[in-house]
Amino acid sequence: MTHCNFYIDGQWVDALEPGTPHPIINPATEESVGTVVMGGVADADRAVLAARRAFDSYSQLSQEQRTALLTKLLGVMERRYTEMAQAISTEMGAPWNLAYDSQAECGTGHITATLEAAKSYPFEVKSGNGDLMLEPIGVCVLITPWNWPMNQIMAKMAPALLAGCTVVLKPSEFSPLSAKLTAECVAEAGYPPGVFNLVYGDGPVVGACLSAHPEVDMVSFTGSTAAGIAVAKAAADTVKRVVQELGGKSPNIIFADSDVEKSVARGVKRCMNNTGQSCNAPTRMLIERSVYDRAVEAAAKAGAEVKVIQPTEKGDGVGPLAMKRQYETVKRFIDIGMDCGARLLVGGPGRPEGFDKGYFVRPTIFADVTNAMPIARQEIFGPVLCLIPFEDEEDAIRIANDTPYGLAAYLSTNDKARARRVAKRLRAGNVSVNASGNEYCNPFGGYKQSGNGREWGRFGLHEFMEYKIINGL
């Protein structure tokens, strides 16, 4: 049983305004493995003021000193890597291979990429007759979700710390173990008190207070679009910077000139990865009409091969959904798909065979979906894939862009000219052609209601900087 409390001003502390403790539920067993202290406004204020006090001295450290601290943090996290994978697997149900090879790796991966980006980052350059300085923006609030906990924490935290900012991290109360371990690593790395602070609490109280706080200079938020809107509204009165990475309903365009069976199988696997709990998951598979029947057959075959496994198991497979709330949402959308005229290919209602407890659902694929159906419009955040036919290139682009989101898009074609032509017209921040993946050095973020700003590598550093021009030096 783990007790998760706050790390503020270099000390582990309990709440000044303790709310009802939040249970840490193992989603595979539905059993409690600990509790999370839920704070209030006074706790949020205490964390922000600690960060504010630390900012003046920390921001004046040399770039070499801040680099040395982040390098030490990387070493601590590498040493405690297996602990991090265990924490993530326990708190949100990631199967062991995913937790170890991908989820935990995001933490060390983002630190490494940030350190590399800083080597050539223009912290100070000449501009006309002046010196252009890039300086830390100040006190930064980092609000992160539960689905890829270390990815979202360290994509924000590494560049913020290297830039010279001080931070208050409010992670999801559904993934507190990885955040607690992160704070332990920060303490072991020797960061000065107040540079990093951790506080738990719900969005409407603690999240709103942090977003509106007059001593906060920036909010970096990852989560749902609805929550992102609330953060932006709370931050508006103090005109602070807000960077958001929000929802998605990403299209995956399969052209007839691709290897259809291979492309479809790949798309099914990507959609189901992390039990579908990824904002950039390719959940709408758009298939050229001339090969639609072949693709449907291939999707049914690939979907039937997706294994559901326990988080403690090794090998490929999907685990449970991370929490009961998400479990109920995904079940509801599967029912909606059954009722709205889509054709069920794989999966459907109920738990998978052999699972009588835990937040497990059947990996589900619907065919003959129209882009107007709720399952094609709304972010389900579970292992549910929609197959949608299209007539030609123009029709594919129209359907792909017919969404309020614009985080990611995918396409498969053997025609390089078409790939470039289509990719340039897709309204998404990240486009993957023929299974290419993004790298930590490239920007991550979206168009439209998928957010604003970019994270990762030097683009992440940029978000935590202010420009200052000093003329006449």
Side-chain angles (χ1 to χ4, degrees):
M1 297 293 289
T2 301
H3 177 67
C4 292
N5 55 350
F6 306 155
Y7 184 77
I8 298 176
D9 212 10
Q11 300 291 326
W12 290 99
V13 298
D14 282 321
L16 296 173
E17 298 180 339
T20 302
H22 188 277
I24 307 170
I25 302 297
N26 182 323
T29 64
E30 301 183 52
E31 296 175 353
S32 175
V33 296
T35 56
V36 179
V37 172
M38 298 292 280
V41 170
D43 302 295
D45 185 64
R46 178 168 54 158
V48 170
L49 294 181
R52 174 55 64 195
R53 289 191 298 271
F55 176 72
D56 282 347
S57 58
Y58 182 69
S59 64
Q60 295 306 306
L61 293 182
S62 68
Q63 197 58 46
E64 290 74 20
Q65 289 172 305
R66 296 199 296 264
T67 296
L69 280 169
L70 190 60
T71 302
K72 191 171 181 181
L73 177 61
L74 175 61
V76 175
M77 294 196 71
E78 286 175 338
R79 182 171 54 78
R80 303 189 71 176
Y81 187 97
T82 299
E83 290 179 71
M84 183 61 75
Q86 291 169 335
I88 294 170
S89 183
T90 300
E91 68 191 0
M92 56 83 60
W96 179 250
N97 283 26
L98 177 68
Y100 191 90
D101 296 338
S102 298
Q103 290 269 8
E105 192 277 333
C106 290
T108 54
H110 278 300
I111 297 178
T112 301
T114 300
L115 289 167
E116 185 62 30
K119 293 177 181 178
S120 59
Y121 194 79
F123 291 100
E124 182 175 342
V125 295
K126 293 296 294 185
S127 179
N129 71 336
D131 288 355
L132 179 63
M133 310 282 189
L134 273 72
E135 299 181 340
I137 191 170
V139 174
C140 299
V141 165
L142 317 178
I143 302 177
T144 59
W146 46 264
N147 61 318
W148 283 86
M150 279 314 298
N151 179 64
Q152 278 102 349
I153 288 175
M154 207 53 70
K156 303 174 189 302
M157 185 174 134
L161 294 178
L162 193 60
C165 299
T166 56
V167 304
V168 177
L169 171 65
K170 193 199 88 64
S172 170
E173 62 271 24
F174 292 98
S175 56
L177 302 178
S178 52
K180 176 181 171 66
L181 183 54
T182 298
E184 292 176 5
C185 292
V186 168
E188 189 174 339
Y191 275 89
V195 171
F196 170 88
N197 305 275
L198 165 67
V199 62
Y200 299 102
D202 63 17
V205 176
V206 173
C209 175
L210 292 172
S211 301
H213 202 292
E215 293 294 338
V216 170
D217 300 292
M218 173 188 172
V219 180
S220 181
F221 173 84
T222 299
S224 71
T225 296
I229 292 169
V231 166
K233 287 180 177 179
D237 287 344
T238 48
V239 200
K240 57 174 59 73
R241 184 179 300 173
V242 178
V243 175
Q244 300 169 312
E245 194 265 283
L246 308 176
K249 195 69 180 178
S250 301
N252 182 11
I253 305 172
I254 310 292
F255 285 104
D257 65 355
S258 68
D259 183 331
V260 173
E261 284 74 16
K262 182 178 179 180
S263 298
V264 168
R266 188 168 59 213
V268 169
K269 185 176 181 179
R270 272 192 166 179
C271 176
M272 303 300 172
N273 186 47
N274 202 38
T275 320
Q277 299 168 124
S278 300
C279 51
N280 61 342
T283 52
R284 291 184 299 145
M285 185 178 289
L286 281 49
I287 304 161
E288 194 161 2
R289 178 78 69 178
S290 62
V291 293
Y292 182 71
D293 290 341
R294 281 174 54 199
V296 167
E297 184 177 344
K301 181 176 182 294
E305 293 173 353
V306 176
K307 294 181 180 179
V308 180
I309 62 176
Q310 294 286 348
T312 52
E313 291 184 55
K314 293 185 178 181
D316 290 335
V318 303
L321 293 160
M323 68 195 73
K324 184 176 182 180
R325 181 185 69 195
Q326 197 59 28
Y327 174 67
E328 297 296 337
T329 296
V330 174
K331 288 199 304 178
R332 177 170 57 84
F333 271 108
I334 291 174
D335 290 340
I336 289 171
M338 300 282 289
D339 294 339
C340 72
R343 174 162 53 110
L344 181 66
L345 286 184
V346 174
R351 286 189 175 94
E353 186 176 349
F355 293 83
D356 58 358
K357 64 180 178 179
Y359 305 135
F360 295 92
V361 296
R362 299 175 185 270
T364 298
I365 302 177
F366 288 105
D368 305 343
V369 177
T370 71
N371 207 49
M373 291 180 181
I375 56 173
R377 303 300 300 176
Q378 299 181 45
E379 187 178 37
I380 299 172
F381 227 59
V384 181
L385 175 61
C386 300
L387 308 187
I388 304 172
F390 68 85
E391 301 301 330
D392 53 24
E393 185 176 308
E394 286 297 318
D395 194 35
I397 294 169
R398 178 190 63 79
I399 296 172
N401 288 336
D402 180 19
T403 173
Y405 301 108
L407 183 57
Y410 305 77
L411 66 97
S412 295
T413 176
N414 287 324
D415 185 335
K416 288 187 177 181
R418 167 184 272 171
R420 177 171 291 274
R421 187 169 64 242
V422 173
K424 290 174 69 175
R425 293 183 60 190
L426 294 175
R427 300 287 294 168
N430 300 263
V431 180
S432 172
V433 178
N434 294 332
S436 60
N438 204 7
E439 299 179 13
Y440 290 124
C441 61
N442 290 329
F444 187 86
Y447 289 20
K448 300 186 283 186
Q449 291 186 28
S450 287
N452 52 65
R454 293 295 183 270
E455 297 183 318
W456 299 21
R458 64 187 177 92
F459 304 93
L461 273 169
H462 175 75
E463 297 292 0
F464 293 94
M465 295 290 190
E466 287 281 25
Y467 286 95
K468 177 187 286 181
I469 184 70
I470 304 177
N471 294 306
L473 289 182

